[in-house]
Amino acid sequence: MLSPVAGRAVSGRFTSSGADDTWATHRGSHDEERPSTPDDKQTYSGRYLVTCLIGYSLSFVVFGSQVSILGPTIAALAERLHVAEPDLSPLFTALGISCIVSGTPSGWLVDHLPTHHVLVGSLLLEAVGFSLVPLMPSVWSLTALYFVVCFSYNFTNSAVFTSLAWMFPKRAGPGINLVLAMFGLGSFFIPLVAQACKTYLDSPLSVFRIIGGLALVSAVPFLFVTSPTRPAGGNTGGSGSARHHASRSLELVTTLAVVVLVFFTTAAETAIGNWLYTFSLREVHSSDSDAALANSTFWGAFTIGRVIGAAISHATTPLVLLLGSVPFSILGCSVPIFLGRSRLSHGVVMLMAALTGLGNSTGYANAVALLERYVPVTGFINGVFGAVAGGACMVGPVLVAMIAKYSSLRYMAMPWVGLMLYALHLPAILIAALVGDKLLKLPLEPEQEPFLSPAGPTIAAAVEEPEAGAQQRVAGTIVAADANGHM
């Protein structure tokens, strides 16, 4: 879930200067009297880059672990607090609301403070907060603590993606893919670590202290490096000079279709990822280790699919990737429903986990990439994505919990909710693509206000003014030449 500033960082749109790096950076030599331009690149030493990438990778291992940690620990938390597992659904509500409201503050803070300062503060909050989780005496005290800790997620997101965009202007893709892979790695290992804690430390809740300690360790690399600096010239990348389509209604429909798609893919991911462990325990009567393995299989397939998608994305389109992956998730959720509760087995759960994780892996990234083919993705739209994804993190798991608690489906609610959400991917994808293609066939008009971007005209004017001025000067020279008979 990208906050507005993280989204602007990835797309290369900034407006103010950042903190200077004093340890291992230097700017390329240029005339001191010549103002900086986007072509003036600053470079970073290999040691600096390695140190930062290690820190970012560790922070996203922590991030991935935190997002998926409730799945393998919710049964132990319910037992400790003497409640049923669905009674802990307020935790998912806290996660969603916290992510929704933290998007704008995280963006503002990264825009005004050195990125590493924001990241270290976020990691320290996570270290303290997760270490305190096993000590909470009630559902509501645990929910309040979880709200505070989850508030840090967007700050980690914003700080890491902004830093990568500044360190690698217009070529941050490999770094972004690296940290996203580390997110999947953390999600993959957390059920196994929780099971190891239960076996060797008598309680899976010890995993919260381990993640808290890892968050603390993740902050250490940033004691040795300062924050990267914003590239000269704002790294606008020329997006302000792009022409925009004449039809705002088609742009709106395309954007809304992709926003809905982001909601569906995030809700399905969190619904399956957070309840698969409990589904395996309660419906299949698996052992703890088998349930943990199934949970890890989902996140492992999710990570593998994300890596494969990134590798082949240059040779295909986001539409092909989305339409090619969603059927795997639909099939995965259909298997236990088709077989019925009486024929469920550990093998069925493993198959479901692998298929749904693989199919879900391309959703968020390719939803954004699909929109970028038709509509300029502004910082405001990225902020909408972050808020919608935060709400989806709440709705998906809570929907499973409520159906499990108040219907005879019990935890069979999970594949039914997943099937519904994955099936709804298809109309959202097709509407976005069909309306977007129609949009591309319309005539283009220059110098219109970028869609949903109140600051757009100012940015566009600033970028286009030099070129327009040059054209006016040339035109004026030609006119003058005509008047004096020199042509």
Side-chain angles (χ1 to χ4, degrees):
M1 300 172 283
L2 295 180
S3 72
V5 166
R8 292 197 297 273
V10 173
S11 58
R13 293 188 285 272
F14 300 97
T15 57
S16 59
S17 60
D20 290 333
D21 187 352
T22 59
W23 179 59
T25 67
H26 63 276
R27 293 185 182 275
S29 59
H30 56 81
D31 186 351
E32 292 183 358
E33 296 181 358
R34 179 173 61 85
S36 298
T37 69
D39 293 329
D40 294 331
K41 298 179 180 179
Q42 60 182 347
T43 58
Y44 298 88
S45 74
R47 182 184 175 192
Y48 178 89
L49 295 176
V50 169
T51 304
C52 288
L53 288 175
I54 289 174
Y56 300 155
S57 297
L58 286 174
S59 68
F60 261 64
V61 169
V62 173
F63 190 14
S65 300
Q66 293 168 347
V67 169
S68 62
I69 199 170
L70 284 180
T73 60
I74 197 163
L77 286 170
E79 181 181 356
R80 183 184 179 280
L81 297 175
H82 308 291
V83 296
E85 286 97 329
D87 293 331
L88 292 177
S89 61
L91 295 178
F92 300 107
T93 304
L95 187 155
I97 294 177
S98 187
C99 288
I100 290 172
V101 301
S102 64
T104 299
S106 70
W108 183 90
L109 205 61
V110 167
D111 239 358
H112 290 80
L113 292 177
T115 56
H116 288 177
H117 292 188
V118 177
L119 181 56
V120 169
S122 175
L123 291 170
L124 292 178
L125 176 60
E126 293 165 6
V128 174
F130 274 87
S131 298
L132 293 175
V133 165
L135 303 179
M136 293 297 102
S138 68
V139 172
W140 296 111
S141 63
L142 178 59
T143 300
L145 175 64
Y146 216 71
F147 178 88
V148 173
V149 175
C150 293
F151 201 81
S152 68
Y153 291 175
N154 269 327
F155 290 84
T156 297
N157 238 354
S158 296
V160 170
F161 281 105
T162 301
S163 296
L164 286 170
W166 290 353
M167 291 162 59
F168 307 103
K170 301 181 183 179
R171 52 190 178 89
I176 292 172
N177 283 323
L178 171 66
V179 298
L180 286 176
M182 293 301 103
F183 176 95
L185 194 65
S187 298
F188 169 75
F189 277 114
I190 199 65
L192 303 179
V193 175
Q195 182 60 30
C197 289
K198 182 174 183 178
T199 302
Y200 299 107
L201 300 176
D202 297 327
S203 173
L205 299 183
S206 298
V207 71
F208 285 101
R209 295 190 177 91
I210 292 175
I211 297 305
L214 184 58
L216 189 62
V217 171
S218 300
V220 172
F222 305 111
L223 299 177
F224 303 97
V225 291
T226 54
S227 302
T229 55
R230 182 177 284 111
N235 193 25
T236 57
S239 61
S241 61
R243 295 190 302 169
H244 298 282
H245 296 280
S247 174
R248 291 302 190 225
S249 60
L250 292 182
E251 287 187 354
L252 178 61
V253 172
T254 304
T255 303
L256 288 177
V258 174
V259 168
V260 170
L261 177 58
V262 167
F263 177 87
F264 288 152
T265 191
T266 308
E269 172 191 332
T270 51
I272 302 296
N274 283 294
W275 286 108
L276 186 59
Y277 181 91
T278 304
F279 172 82
S280 185
L281 287 178
R282 299 290 181 254
E283 296 294 342
V284 188
H285 307 293
S286 300
S287 65
D288 288 346
S289 58
D290 284 345
L293 181 60
N295 208 173
S296 288
T297 298
F298 173 82
W299 290 112
F302 182 87
T303 302
I304 292 171
R306 178 167 279 174
V307 172
I308 294 173
I312 67 174
S313 59
H314 70 284
T316 185
T317 65
L319 178 62
V320 171
L321 283 172
L322 287 168
L323 292 179
S325 60
V326 170
F328 287 99
S329 294
I330 293 176
L331 178 60
C333 288
S334 299
V335 170
I337 294 173
F338 175 78
L339 292 177
R341 181 177 282 126
S342 62
R343 289 190 286 175
L344 290 178
S345 66
H346 177 64
V348 171
V349 176
M350 293 291 288
L351 178 62
M352 176 191 177
L355 289 173
T356 52
L358 185 65
N360 212 146
S361 61
T362 62
Y364 189 98
N366 285 284
V368 178
L370 181 66
L371 181 62
E372 287 180 329
R373 296 174 65 89
Y374 307 120
V375 178
V377 180
T378 64
F380 177 79
I381 294 177
N382 274 308
V384 171
F385 285 161
V388 167
C393 287
M394 171 180 60
V395 171
V398 169
L399 191 58
V400 174
M402 292 298 99
I403 295 175
K405 184 174 181 178
Y406 296 111
S407 79
S408 61
L409 282 175
R410 301 199 300 275
Y411 292 101
M412 284 295 289
M414 186 198 71
W416 277 108
V417 169
L419 180 61
M420 177 190 68
L421 292 171
Y422 289 126
L424 289 172
H425 279 48
L426 297 176
I429 294 168
L430 293 176
I431 290 172
L434 291 174
V435 178
D437 286 340
K438 185 176 181 181
L439 181 62
L440 291 181
K441 295 176 182 177
L442 293 177
L444 300 174
E445 297 181 1
E447 300 182 13
Q448 290 189 17
E449 179 182 352
F451 183 56
L452 294 178
S453 178
T458 304
I459 297 174
V463 174
E464 293 179 0
E465 184 177 2
E467 181 179 352
Q471 292 174 349
Q472 291 171 0
R473 287 193 296 273
V474 171
T477 302
I478 293 174
V479 171
D482 271 337
N484 291 310
H486 294 313
M487 284 296 288

